[in-house]
Amino acid sequence: MEWLTETKIPVGRVAGDVFDWLQDNGAWFFDGLSDAMEALIDAILWVLQSPHPLLVTAGFVALTWVLQRNWKICVFVGLGFLFILNQGYWEETTESLTLVLSACVVCMAVGVPIGIAAAHRPRLYAAMRPVLDLMQTLPTFVYLIPAIVFFGIGMVPGLIATVIFVVPAPIRLTHLGVSSTPMALLEAARAFGGTPGQVLWKVELPYAFPQIMAGLNQTIMLSLSMVVIAALVGADGLGVPVVRALNQVNTALGFESGFIIVVVAIMLDRMLRVDRS
């Protein structure tokens, strides 16, 4: 077996050379992207932290009613936010929500159009599938290395790493929803003179809406799962007390902050759940 190990395929060296080249020649792009992401994060953080916590809670309850029309879910969301206030994790929760909402804005803005394009071009999706598999299966800690190299320490590298890990979900589910539109509906729309744009907006997207919303739900859940990992690169939020508890072997702090993450995840899931019956 020596002949097989003597000549090593330079995977790591090639990747290092690529990142070095990008760092040397793409600084203008990464600086602009960092400024845009930081502006988005600051805007969402201001919306969540400037008003009184009870006003923010009332806003989320009202949004839940608009989306679900179910008073039980509204009560659950309200009690969940009151529990977070009671435990003293309001600031960390709003920081984590900022990371999650920022990731949702970026992922849905990128993922939905790409999913639509892939649904209309099977060859494009076939070429994209290995890349999507790589993005979802590569250990998430690997994303942190180039994120630190290009964007430094803070919320922005945490957001970039989260987006890379999460964006395949809305792409896949949007592709699934659009490509599964019944042929009978498409033929009927075209028979009545529908243009490709009209067919997309009035037939394909309404039919794919539950799948797109499922993609949004998955985006939120996967983004929330990244808050602890993002804390390793300086991102604020609920991941910070979890990492602190791990370093201090503090069971009480770890369980407390971990339970808050669970409460936030369940609230967001109930708020955005789509009834497919």
Side-chain angles (χ1 to χ4, degrees):
M1 295 293 291
E2 293 182 359
W3 61 272
L4 186 61
T5 58
E6 285 179 355
T7 305
K8 181 179 178 180
I9 299 175
V11 176
R13 180 168 57 82
V14 171
D17 292 341
V18 170
F19 285 122
D20 289 340
W21 185 87
L22 289 174
Q23 189 177 11
D24 294 336
N25 298 276
W28 59 272
F29 171 77
F30 294 113
D31 289 343
L33 181 61
S34 177
D35 292 340
M37 294 297 100
E38 191 169 354
L40 176 63
I41 291 170
D42 290 342
I44 296 176
L45 197 61
W46 182 85
V47 171
L48 293 178
Q49 290 189 342
S50 294
H52 192 276
L54 293 180
L55 289 178
V56 177
T57 300
F60 273 97
V61 172
L63 178 60
T64 303
W65 174 255
V66 171
L67 295 175
Q68 298 296 335
R69 298 292 178 176
N70 188 321
W71 67 269
K72 295 179 181 179
I73 299 178
C74 293
V75 170
F76 174 77
V77 171
L79 291 176
F81 277 108
L82 292 178
F83 175 75
I84 292 169
L85 276 169
N86 173 263
Q87 295 297 302
Y89 283 89
W90 180 257
E91 183 176 354
E92 291 85 354
T93 299
T94 55
E95 290 166 348
S96 290
L97 284 174
T98 297
L99 181 63
V100 171
L101 294 176
S102 301
C104 286
V105 170
V106 176
C107 289
M108 297 306 289
V110 173
V112 172
I114 293 178
I116 293 172
H120 292 156
R121 299 168 180 83
R123 291 185 179 179
L124 174 62
Y125 185 68
M128 288 170 47
R129 188 180 301 168
V131 179
L132 298 177
D133 292 339
L134 178 66
M135 293 169 68
Q136 287 192 304
T137 56
L138 196 67
T140 51
F141 290 99
V142 177
Y143 298 139
L144 300 181
I145 302 171
I148 294 173
V149 170
F150 295 140
F151 303 102
I153 300 295
M155 291 285 281
V156 173
L159 174 60
I160 297 299
T162 301
V163 167
I164 295 174
F165 175 68
V166 173
V167 76
I171 293 177
R172 290 182 187 275
L173 287 167
T174 301
H175 168 267
L176 176 63
V178 174
S179 61
S180 62
T181 305
M183 187 58 63
L185 288 178
L186 297 176
E187 291 177 352
R190 292 169 184 145
F192 281 97
T195 64
Q198 291 173 329
V199 172
L200 172 64
W201 286 100
K202 297 184 178 182
V203 178
E204 291 179 327
L205 288 182
Y207 187 85
F209 181 74
Q211 294 293 343
I212 294 175
M213 287 301 296
L216 176 60
N217 187 285
Q218 287 298 304
T219 298
I220 291 175
M221 295 299 106
L222 292 171
S223 300
L224 202 53
S225 72
M226 289 286 290
V227 296
V228 177
I229 297 175
L232 298 177
V233 293
D236 298 324
L238 292 168
V240 175
V242 174
V243 174
R244 188 185 307 124
L246 179 63
N247 292 333
Q248 298 174 355
V249 196
N250 189 331
T251 305
L253 178 61
F255 185 86
E256 188 178 76
S257 54
F259 191 74
I260 296 295
I261 295 175
V262 172
V263 171
V264 173
I266 295 175
M267 287 193 303
L268 294 177
D269 177 71
R270 298 299 184 269
M271 285 178 60
L272 297 170
R273 178 170 292 181
V274 177
D275 186 6
R276 297 176 179 82
S277 58

